[in-house]
Amino acid sequence: MQFQLSKPNKKINGSIDLPSSKSIANRALIIQALSYSPYTLQNLSGSDDVEVMQQVLNSNTNQFDVGHAGTAMRFLTAFLSQIVGEWTITGSDRMKQRPIHILVDALGQLGAKIEYLENEGYPPLKIWGSHLKGGILDLDGSVSSQYISALLMIAPCIEGGLTLRLKNKITSRPYIELTLKLMKQFGVRSVWKGNEIRVSEQPYQAREFTVEADWTGASYWYQLAALADEASIELKNLRLMSLQGDCQIAAWFKDFGVDSKATPDGVILTKTETKLPKHLQLNLVENPDVAQTMAVLCVLRKVPFHFSGLETLKIKETDRIAALQNELAKLGAAITEPRHGELKWDGNFSLPKEAIPCIATYHDHRMALAFAPTALNFPIAIDDPMVVTKSYPKYYDHLKQVGFEISQS
């Protein structure tokens, strides 16, 4: 299935009820389970990833399939390893290609027994949950922060607690900070000093909790505002002072003429006149999920760029470096990878642009989400468009709400 998208004019006005943050929701669901909370989490997203997590945590079986949900795979592997019982966890074909040995090895040092059912180092896994004993773990901080968060969330429940010593450059630091901030809201104290994070054995405290709107989801509306001639967009339930690291994009988009104003109900984006950057250089090590948003925006606004800190993009839902190169080529832009974890564009359209580019999504929700705003400049087709349900199920409804024309073919 494909969607054809177009926009009759370049004006955007509307009020958007953003999905809540799946990063916060999935952490809060794990913490809530560990605290044996009687409360129901409020404002949970209807995204696939959150629904998968809820289904597993509320299941009466011991065999789980998380599909494409990488967060669920990592968090649940740690969670199940300290719940007494025998558990099997698997996922999609792509999930079976995403490495998990670093987390499994770390859990093994705490006493967990985990077996690879197919290929060594990859899901599916057989887990024999048992009592874990803590101590000091050395962990590579340059790999997915989800491994670190998975360990931190179970740390208070481990005998003796846990100390993580992070080696090498720490990627996605805001996601680790997010985990610790949420743990604190549920009563767990931690100490992060230098490259060492210490969490003592202590109980979680059950409490009522409401999940805030998703900043990565907001990034596509910032992108739309930056591409529009005129824009006034209210993003409900979004907080400028947020737990989420991607709130940093509000400052970046000022260079593209997008102002952010906090209101009691959320944030209002307004398009203003501005002089675009001659060249945009960003280190996205702390914000890898907005790489596609920023790359597509820069090509459409003809701003040369050089992004670094993208080492984790190759092990996401797809190889996002290769995917961006392939699909931006359809817009005429040749994107290079100067070094591992980098993307660069010199500002030249040296490739033939397709008349109506058809964007492949590679089972990756962020490819569809980041490329759809291209329709503000020219008509575009999105292949397998409903991958957006992973994080933003109502995305196309919201685009229609602000005047996009979308047809199915």
CSV table of all heavy atoms in Angstrom, one decimal, residues 23 27 70-71 74-75 102-103 139-153 164 166 169-179 192 197 285-289 312 315-316:
chain,number,residue,atom,x,y,z
A,23,SER,N,8.8,6.8,25.0
A,23,SER,CA,10.0,6.6,25.8
A,23,SER,C,9.7,6.7,27.3
A,23,SER,O,10.2,5.9,28.1
A,23,SER,CB,11.1,7.7,25.4
A,23,SER,OG,11.5,7.5,24.1
A,27,ARG,N,9.1,3.2,30.0
A,27,ARG,CA,9.9,3.2,31.2
A,27,ARG,C,8.9,3.1,32.4
A,27,ARG,O,9.2,2.4,33.4
A,27,ARG,CB,10.8,4.4,31.3
A,27,ARG,CG,12.0,4.3,30.4
A,27,ARG,CD,12.7,5.6,30.2
A,27,ARG,NE,14.0,5.5,29.5
A,27,ARG,CZ,14.1,5.3,28.2
A,27,ARG,NH1,13.0,5.3,27.4
A,27,ARG,NH2,15.3,5.2,27.6
A,70,GLY,N,11.9,-2.5,19.6
A,70,GLY,CA,13.2,-2.6,20.2
A,70,GLY,C,13.3,-2.3,21.7
A,70,GLY,O,14.0,-2.9,22.5
A,71,THR,N,12.6,-1.2,22.1
A,71,THR,CA,12.6,-0.8,23.5
A,71,THR,C,12.0,-1.9,24.3
A,71,THR,O,12.6,-2.2,25.4
A,71,THR,CB,11.8,0.5,23.7
A,71,THR,OG1,12.3,1.5,22.8
A,71,THR,CG2,11.8,1.0,25.1
A,74,ARG,N,14.6,-4.8,24.8
A,74,ARG,CA,15.6,-4.6,25.7
A,74,ARG,C,15.1,-4.5,27.2
A,74,ARG,O,15.7,-5.2,28.1
A,74,ARG,CB,16.4,-3.3,25.4
A,74,ARG,CG,17.4,-3.5,24.3
A,74,ARG,CD,16.8,-3.4,22.9
A,74,ARG,NE,17.8,-3.5,21.8
A,74,ARG,CZ,18.2,-2.4,21.1
A,74,ARG,NH1,17.8,-1.2,21.4
A,74,ARG,NH2,19.1,-2.5,20.1
A,75,PHE,N,14.1,-3.7,27.4
A,75,PHE,CA,13.6,-3.5,28.7
A,75,PHE,C,13.0,-4.8,29.3
A,75,PHE,O,13.3,-5.1,30.5
A,75,PHE,CB,12.5,-2.4,28.8
A,75,PHE,CG,13.0,-1.0,28.5
A,75,PHE,CD1,12.1,0.0,28.5
A,75,PHE,CD2,14.3,-0.8,28.3
A,75,PHE,CE1,12.5,1.3,28.2
A,75,PHE,CE2,14.8,0.5,28.1
A,75,PHE,CZ,13.9,1.6,28.0
A,102,ILE,N,25.3,-7.6,24.4
A,102,ILE,CA,25.9,-6.8,25.5
A,102,ILE,C,25.0,-6.8,26.7
A,102,ILE,O,25.5,-6.9,27.9
A,102,ILE,CB,26.1,-5.3,25.0
A,102,ILE,CG1,27.1,-5.3,23.9
A,102,ILE,CG2,26.4,-4.4,26.1
A,102,ILE,CD1,27.3,-4.0,23.2
A,103,LEU,N,23.7,-6.7,26.5
A,103,LEU,CA,22.7,-6.7,27.7
A,103,LEU,C,22.7,-8.1,28.3
A,103,LEU,O,22.7,-8.2,29.5
A,103,LEU,CB,21.3,-6.3,27.2
A,103,LEU,CG,20.2,-6.3,28.2
A,103,LEU,CD1,20.6,-5.5,29.4
A,103,LEU,CD2,18.9,-5.9,27.6
A,139,LEU,N,30.4,-1.4,31.3
A,139,LEU,CA,29.5,-1.5,30.1
A,139,LEU,C,30.0,-0.4,29.1
A,139,LEU,O,30.3,0.7,29.5
A,139,LEU,CB,28.1,-1.2,30.5
A,139,LEU,CG,26.9,-1.8,29.7
A,139,LEU,CD1,27.0,-3.3,29.7
A,139,LEU,CD2,25.6,-1.3,30.2
A,140,ASP,N,29.9,-0.8,27.9
A,140,ASP,CA,30.3,0.1,26.8
A,140,ASP,C,29.2,1.2,26.6
A,140,ASP,O,28.0,0.9,26.3
A,140,ASP,CB,30.5,-0.7,25.5
A,140,ASP,CG,31.0,0.2,24.3
A,140,ASP,OD1,31.1,1.4,24.5
A,140,ASP,OD2,31.3,-0.4,23.3
A,141,GLY,N,29.5,2.4,26.9
A,141,GLY,CA,28.5,3.5,26.8
A,141,GLY,C,28.2,4.0,25.4
A,141,GLY,O,27.3,4.8,25.2
A,142,SER,N,29.0,3.5,24.4
A,142,SER,CA,28.8,4.0,23.1
A,142,SER,C,27.8,3.2,22.3
A,142,SER,O,27.5,3.5,21.2
A,142,SER,CB,30.2,3.9,22.3
A,142,SER,OG,30.6,2.6,22.1
A,143,VAL,N,27.2,2.1,22.9
A,143,VAL,CA,26.2,1.4,22.3
A,143,VAL,C,24.8,1.9,22.7
A,143,VAL,O,24.7,2.9,23.3
A,143,VAL,CB,26.3,-0.2,22.5
A,143,VAL,CG1,27.6,-0.7,22.0
A,143,VAL,CG2,26.3,-0.4,24.0
A,144,SER,N,23.8,1.2,22.4
A,144,SER,CA,22.4,1.7,22.7
A,144,SER,C,22.2,2.0,24.2
A,144,SER,O,22.5,1.2,25.0
A,144,SER,CB,21.4,0.6,22.3
A,144,SER,OG,20.1,1.0,22.7
A,145,SER,N,21.7,3.2,24.5
A,145,SER,CA,21.4,3.6,25.8
A,145,SER,C,20.3,2.7,26.4
A,145,SER,O,20.1,2.7,27.7
A,145,SER,CB,21.0,5.0,25.9
A,145,SER,OG,19.8,5.2,25.2
A,146,GLN,N,19.5,2.0,25.6
A,146,GLN,CA,18.5,1.2,26.1
A,146,GLN,C,19.0,0.0,26.9
A,146,GLN,O,18.3,-0.5,27.9
A,146,GLN,CB,17.6,0.6,25.0
A,146,GLN,CG,16.8,1.7,24.3
A,146,GLN,CD,16.0,1.2,23.1
A,146,GLN,OE1,15.9,0.0,22.8
A,146,GLN,NE2,15.3,2.1,22.4
A,147,TYR,N,20.2,-0.5,26.6
A,147,TYR,CA,20.8,-1.5,27.5
A,147,TYR,C,21.0,-1.0,28.9
A,147,TYR,O,20.8,-1.6,29.9
A,147,TYR,CB,22.2,-1.9,26.9
A,147,TYR,CG,22.2,-2.5,25.5
A,147,TYR,CD1,23.2,-2.3,24.6
A,147,TYR,CD2,21.1,-3.3,25.1
A,147,TYR,CE1,23.3,-2.8,23.4
A,147,TYR,CE2,21.1,-3.9,23.8
A,147,TYR,CZ,22.2,-3.6,22.9
A,147,TYR,OH,22.2,-4.1,21.7
A,148,ILE,N,21.6,0.3,28.9
A,148,ILE,CA,21.9,0.9,30.2
A,148,ILE,C,20.6,1.2,31.0
A,148,ILE,O,20.5,0.8,32.2
A,148,ILE,CB,22.7,2.2,30.0
A,148,ILE,CG1,24.0,1.9,29.3
A,148,ILE,CG2,22.9,2.9,31.3
A,148,ILE,CD1,24.7,3.1,28.7
A,149,SER,N,19.6,1.7,30.3
A,149,SER,CA,18.3,2.0,31.0
A,149,SER,C,17.7,0.7,31.5
A,149,SER,O,17.1,0.7,32.6
A,149,SER,CB,17.4,2.7,30.0
A,149,SER,OG,17.8,4.0,29.8
A,150,ALA,N,17.7,-0.4,30.7
A,150,ALA,CA,17.1,-1.7,31.1
A,150,ALA,C,17.8,-2.1,32.4
A,150,ALA,O,17.0,-2.6,33.3
A,150,ALA,CB,17.4,-2.7,30.0
A,151,LEU,N,19.1,-2.0,32.5
A,151,LEU,CA,19.8,-2.4,33.8
A,151,LEU,C,19.5,-1.5,34.9
A,151,LEU,O,19.3,-2.0,36.1
A,151,LEU,CB,21.3,-2.5,33.5
A,151,LEU,CG,21.7,-3.6,32.6
A,151,LEU,CD1,23.2,-3.4,32.1
A,151,LEU,CD2,21.6,-5.0,33.2
A,152,LEU,N,19.4,-0.2,34.7
A,152,LEU,CA,19.2,0.7,35.7
A,152,LEU,C,17.8,0.5,36.4
A,152,LEU,O,17.6,0.6,37.6
A,152,LEU,CB,19.3,2.2,35.2
A,152,LEU,CG,20.7,2.6,34.9
A,152,LEU,CD1,20.7,4.0,34.2
A,152,LEU,CD2,21.6,2.7,36.2
A,153,MET,N,16.8,0.3,35.5
A,153,MET,CA,15.4,0.1,36.1
A,153,MET,C,15.3,-1.1,37.0
A,153,MET,O,14.5,-1.0,38.0
A,153,MET,CB,14.4,0.1,34.9
A,153,MET,CG,14.2,1.5,34.3
A,153,MET,SD,12.8,1.5,33.1
A,153,MET,CE,13.5,0.7,31.7
A,164,LEU,N,27.1,0.9,37.6
A,164,LEU,CA,27.5,0.7,36.2
A,164,LEU,C,28.7,1.7,35.9
A,164,LEU,O,28.6,2.9,36.2
A,164,LEU,CB,26.4,1.1,35.3
A,164,LEU,CG,25.1,0.2,35.2
A,164,LEU,CD1,24.1,0.7,34.2
A,164,LEU,CD2,25.5,-1.2,34.9
A,166,LEU,N,30.6,3.1,32.9
A,166,LEU,CA,30.5,3.3,31.4
A,166,LEU,C,31.8,3.6,30.8
A,166,LEU,O,32.4,4.6,31.1
A,166,LEU,CB,29.4,4.4,31.1
A,166,LEU,CG,28.0,4.1,31.8
A,166,LEU,CD1,27.1,5.3,31.5
A,166,LEU,CD2,27.5,2.8,31.4
A,169,LYS,N,32.7,6.8,24.7
A,169,LYS,CA,31.7,7.9,24.6
A,169,LYS,C,30.3,7.4,24.9
A,169,LYS,O,29.9,6.4,24.4
A,169,LYS,CB,31.8,8.5,23.2
A,169,LYS,CG,30.9,9.7,23.0
A,169,LYS,CD,31.1,10.3,21.6
A,169,LYS,CE,30.8,9.4,20.5
A,169,LYS,NZ,31.0,10.0,19.2
A,170,ILE,N,29.6,8.2,25.7
A,170,ILE,CA,28.2,7.8,26.1
A,170,ILE,C,27.2,8.3,25.0
A,170,ILE,O,27.2,9.6,24.8
A,170,ILE,CB,27.8,8.3,27.5
A,170,ILE,CG1,28.8,7.7,28.5
A,170,ILE,CG2,26.4,8.0,27.8
A,170,ILE,CD1,28.6,8.3,29.9
A,171,THR,N,26.5,7.5,24.3
A,171,THR,CA,25.5,7.9,23.3
A,171,THR,C,24.2,8.1,24.0
A,171,THR,O,23.8,7.4,25.0
A,171,THR,CB,25.4,6.9,22.2
A,171,THR,OG1,25.0,5.6,22.7
A,171,THR,CG2,26.8,6.7,21.5
A,172,SER,N,23.4,9.0,23.4
A,172,SER,CA,22.0,9.2,23.9
A,172,SER,C,21.9,9.4,25.4
A,172,SER,O,21.0,8.9,26.1
A,172,SER,CB,21.1,8.0,23.5
A,172,SER,OG,21.2,7.7,22.1
A,173,ARG,N,22.8,10.2,25.9
A,173,ARG,CA,22.9,10.5,27.4
A,173,ARG,C,21.5,11.0,27.9
A,173,ARG,O,21.1,10.5,29.0
A,173,ARG,CB,23.9,11.6,27.7
A,173,ARG,CG,24.0,12.0,29.1
A,173,ARG,CD,25.0,13.1,29.3
A,173,ARG,NE,26.4,12.6,29.2
A,173,ARG,CZ,27.1,12.2,30.2
A,173,ARG,NH1,26.7,12.3,31.4
A,173,ARG,NH2,28.4,11.8,30.0
A,174,PRO,N,20.7,11.8,27.2
A,174,PRO,CA,19.4,12.3,27.7
A,174,PRO,C,18.5,11.1,28.0
A,174,PRO,O,17.6,11.2,28.9
A,174,PRO,CB,18.9,13.2,26.6
A,174,PRO,CG,20.1,13.7,25.9
A,174,PRO,CD,21.0,12.5,25.9
A,175,TYR,N,18.6,10.0,27.3
A,175,TYR,CA,17.7,8.9,27.5
A,175,TYR,C,18.1,8.2,28.9
A,175,TYR,O,17.2,7.6,29.5
A,175,TYR,CB,17.7,7.9,26.4
A,175,TYR,CG,17.0,8.4,25.2
A,175,TYR,CD1,17.6,9.0,24.1
A,175,TYR,CD2,15.6,8.3,25.1
A,175,TYR,CE1,17.0,9.5,23.0
A,175,TYR,CE2,14.9,8.8,24.0
A,175,TYR,CZ,15.6,9.4,23.0
A,175,TYR,OH,14.9,9.9,21.9
A,176,ILE,N,19.3,8.2,29.2
A,176,ILE,CA,19.8,7.6,30.5
A,176,ILE,C,19.3,8.6,31.6
A,176,ILE,O,18.8,8.1,32.6
A,176,ILE,CB,21.3,7.4,30.5
A,176,ILE,CG1,21.8,6.5,29.4
A,176,ILE,CG2,21.7,6.9,31.9
A,176,ILE,CD1,23.3,6.5,29.2
A,177,GLU,N,19.5,9.9,31.4
A,177,GLU,CA,19.0,10.8,32.3
A,177,GLU,C,17.5,10.7,32.5
A,177,GLU,O,17.0,10.8,33.7
A,177,GLU,CB,19.4,12.2,31.9
A,177,GLU,CG,20.9,12.5,31.9
A,177,GLU,CD,21.3,13.8,31.3
A,177,GLU,OE1,20.4,14.4,30.6
A,177,GLU,OE2,22.4,14.3,31.5
A,178,LEU,N,16.8,10.5,31.4
A,178,LEU,CA,15.3,10.4,31.5
A,178,LEU,C,14.9,9.2,32.4
A,178,LEU,O,14.1,9.3,33.3
A,178,LEU,CB,14.7,10.1,30.1
A,178,LEU,CG,13.3,9.7,30.0
A,178,LEU,CD1,12.4,10.8,30.6
A,178,LEU,CD2,12.9,9.5,28.6
A,179,THR,N,15.6,8.1,32.2
A,179,THR,CA,15.4,6.9,33.1
A,179,THR,C,15.6,7.2,34.5
A,179,THR,O,14.8,6.9,35.4
A,179,THR,CB,16.3,5.7,32.6
A,179,THR,OG1,16.1,5.4,31.2
A,179,THR,CG2,16.1,4.5,33.4
A,192,TRP,N,25.1,9.7,39.8
A,192,TRP,CA,25.8,9.6,38.6
A,192,TRP,C,27.0,10.6,38.7
A,192,TRP,O,26.8,11.8,38.7
A,192,TRP,CB,25.0,10.0,37.4
A,192,TRP,CG,25.6,9.7,36.0
A,192,TRP,CD1,26.9,9.5,35.8
A,192,TRP,CD2,25.0,9.8,34.8
A,192,TRP,NE1,27.1,9.3,34.5
A,192,TRP,CE2,25.9,9.5,33.8
A,192,TRP,CE3,23.6,10.0,34.4
A,192,TRP,CZ2,25.6,9.4,32.4
A,192,TRP,CZ3,23.4,9.9,33.0
A,192,TRP,CH2,24.3,9.6,32.0
A,197,ILE,N,27.5,5.2,37.5
A,197,ILE,CA,26.1,5.4,38.0
A,197,ILE,C,25.9,4.3,39.1
A,197,ILE,O,26.1,3.1,38.8
A,197,ILE,CB,25.1,5.2,36.9
A,197,ILE,CG1,25.4,6.1,35.7
A,197,ILE,CG2,23.7,5.5,37.4
A,197,ILE,CD1,24.5,5.9,34.5
A,285,VAL,N,24.6,12.9,18.9
A,285,VAL,CA,24.8,11.8,19.8
A,285,VAL,C,23.7,11.7,20.9
A,285,VAL,O,23.4,10.6,21.3
A,285,VAL,CB,26.2,11.8,20.4
A,285,VAL,CG1,26.4,13.0,21.4
A,285,VAL,CG2,26.6,10.5,21.1
A,286,GLU,N,23.2,12.8,21.3
A,286,GLU,CA,22.2,12.8,22.4
A,286,GLU,C,20.7,12.9,21.8
A,286,GLU,O,19.8,12.8,22.5
A,286,GLU,CB,22.4,14.0,23.3
A,286,GLU,CG,23.7,13.9,24.1
A,286,GLU,CD,23.9,15.0,25.1
A,286,GLU,OE1,23.1,15.9,25.1
A,286,GLU,OE2,24.8,14.9,26.0
A,287,ASN,N,20.6,13.0,20.5
A,287,ASN,CA,19.3,13.1,19.9
A,287,ASN,C,19.2,12.4,18.5
A,287,ASN,O,18.8,12.9,17.5
A,287,ASN,CB,19.0,14.6,19.6
A,287,ASN,CG,19.2,15.5,20.8
A,287,ASN,OD1,20.3,16.0,20.9
A,287,ASN,ND2,18.2,15.7,21.6
A,288,PRO,N,19.6,11.1,18.5
A,288,PRO,CA,19.7,10.4,17.3
A,288,PRO,C,18.3,10.2,16.6
A,288,PRO,O,18.2,10.0,15.4
A,288,PRO,CB,20.2,9.0,17.7
A,288,PRO,CG,19.9,8.8,19.1
A,288,PRO,CD,20.0,10.2,19.7
A,289,ASP,N,17.2,10.2,17.3
A,289,ASP,CA,15.9,10.0,16.7
A,289,ASP,C,15.4,11.1,15.9
A,289,ASP,O,14.4,11.0,15.1
A,289,ASP,CB,14.8,9.7,17.8
A,289,ASP,CG,14.9,8.2,18.3
A,289,ASP,OD1,15.6,7.4,17.6
A,289,ASP,OD2,14.4,7.9,19.4
A,312,THR,N,24.6,4.9,16.4
A,312,THR,CA,23.6,3.9,16.7
A,312,THR,C,22.6,3.8,15.6
A,312,THR,O,21.7,2.9,15.7
A,312,THR,CB,22.9,4.2,18.0
A,312,THR,OG1,22.2,5.5,17.9
A,312,THR,CG2,23.8,4.3,19.2
A,315,ILE,N,21.7,0.3,13.8
A,315,ILE,CA,21.1,-0.8,14.4
A,315,ILE,C,19.7,-0.4,14.9
A,315,ILE,O,19.1,-1.0,15.9
A,315,ILE,CB,21.9,-1.4,15.6
A,315,ILE,CG1,22.2,-0.3,16.7
A,315,ILE,CG2,23.2,-2.0,15.1
A,315,ILE,CD1,22.7,-0.8,18.0
A,316,LYS,N,19.0,0.5,14.3
A,316,LYS,CA,17.7,0.9,14.6
A,316,LYS,C,16.7,0.0,13.8
A,316,LYS,O,17.1,-1.1,13.4
A,316,LYS,CB,17.4,2.4,14.3
A,316,LYS,CG,18.2,3.4,15.1
A,316,LYS,CD,17.7,3.4,16.5
A,316,LYS,CE,18.4,4.5,17.3
A,316,LYS,NZ,17.9,4.7,18.7
